[in-house]
Amino acid sequence: MSRRSRAAVARSAGGDRTLTTILGLVLVAAAVLALLVGYGVFGDFRAQRPLIDPIAVQWAAGHAGATRWIAIGIGVVLFVVGLWWTLRSLRPEPRPDVSLSEVPGERLTVEHAAICDAVRHDAETIEGVSRARVRLVGTPMRPALRIALTMVEGSDVRDVWAELDGRVLARAREAFSVSALPTAVRLELDASSAPTPARVE
């Protein structure tokens, strides 16, 4: 599955995975280095030395004020990085407007709300579909769609899919002037259309 197609299925977590992998590798490398030093791979003298260098301890004791500010600065940096990472992970997924023309002086952009409303309206005209939800994701130059269709009890899934792909999505691809428009489709059953079981007393 291409990166563009994955955007239609779910929000990308590639950035978070990359940062987590780098952090994990750094911590593993530090742990391995500490083990090698402790087992005397780099010499018995180095293995017997304290974990914190005595020269560093002596300097910190003689410069208590500077040491305190350094520790505070490191703590603030770690807090800011953690806060940035959290906000980055929790921020809403962008809903891009689609650029249909980038000619200088003739830029044509369609808002995502208008696109979603048009596709939703088309999807709800399919026989057997009672409700549709549409979301535009991706980037302005590489859009993708997520569609959730609520189907009436007894609807033919193959007919619904044929109508969706052959008419609704074909019209969207034509509007975007693209040959392929990655789309993730979720089918749900309309609970209100299900027959109510008979009650025996």
Side-chain angles (χ1 to χ4, degrees):
M1 184 183 295
S2 68
R3 182 178 180 182
R4 186 180 177 189
S5 297
R6 286 196 301 267
V9 177
R11 178 176 180 174
S12 174
D16 292 338
R17 286 196 296 266
T18 300
L19 291 174
T20 303
T21 300
I22 293 175
L23 179 60
L25 291 176
V26 170
L27 294 177
V28 168
V32 171
L33 180 61
L35 288 174
L36 293 177
V37 171
Y39 280 107
V41 175
F42 300 106
D44 294 336
F45 174 74
R46 188 177 297 276
Q48 295 173 1
R49 294 185 63 183
L51 180 62
I52 302 179
D53 195 292
I55 297 178
V57 174
Q58 184 178 0
W59 185 91
H63 302 80
T67 303
R68 186 180 300 111
W69 283 110
I70 291 174
I72 292 174
I74 294 175
V76 170
V77 170
L78 292 177
F79 173 77
V80 171
V81 171
L83 183 61
W84 167 79
W85 196 336
T86 301
L87 294 177
R88 181 181 180 278
S89 300
L90 297 178
R91 75 183 188 278
E93 189 174 16
R95 300 181 180 183
D97 298 332
V98 176
S99 178
L100 300 182
S101 176
E102 291 291 342
V103 178
E106 299 181 4
R107 184 175 181 179
L108 177 60
T109 302
V110 182
E111 293 185 353
H112 70 275
I115 296 171
C116 292
D117 287 344
V119 175
R120 178 183 58 79
H121 180 270
D122 279 353
E124 289 179 344
T125 61
I126 299 176
E127 184 178 356
V129 174
S130 62
R131 187 169 61 257
R133 299 191 305 274
V134 179
R135 184 168 186 176
L136 186 68
V137 295
T139 65
M141 300 304 297
R142 294 178 175 271
L145 286 173
R146 292 181 194 158
I147 302 177
L149 299 180
T150 303
M151 300 176 57
V152 179
E153 178 76 13
S155 300
D156 191 316
V157 176
R158 288 174 297 183
D159 291 344
V160 170
W161 171 250
E163 184 75 5
L164 178 67
D165 184 54
R167 180 171 62 85
V168 178
L169 295 181
R171 185 178 300 180
R173 290 191 292 266
E174 182 180 356
F176 293 153
S177 298
V178 294
S179 58
L181 179 61
T183 304
V185 181
R186 179 178 179 179
L187 302 179
E188 302 172 349
L189 180 62
D190 190 351
S192 62
S193 66
T196 303
R199 182 176 180 180
V200 181
E201 297 182 357

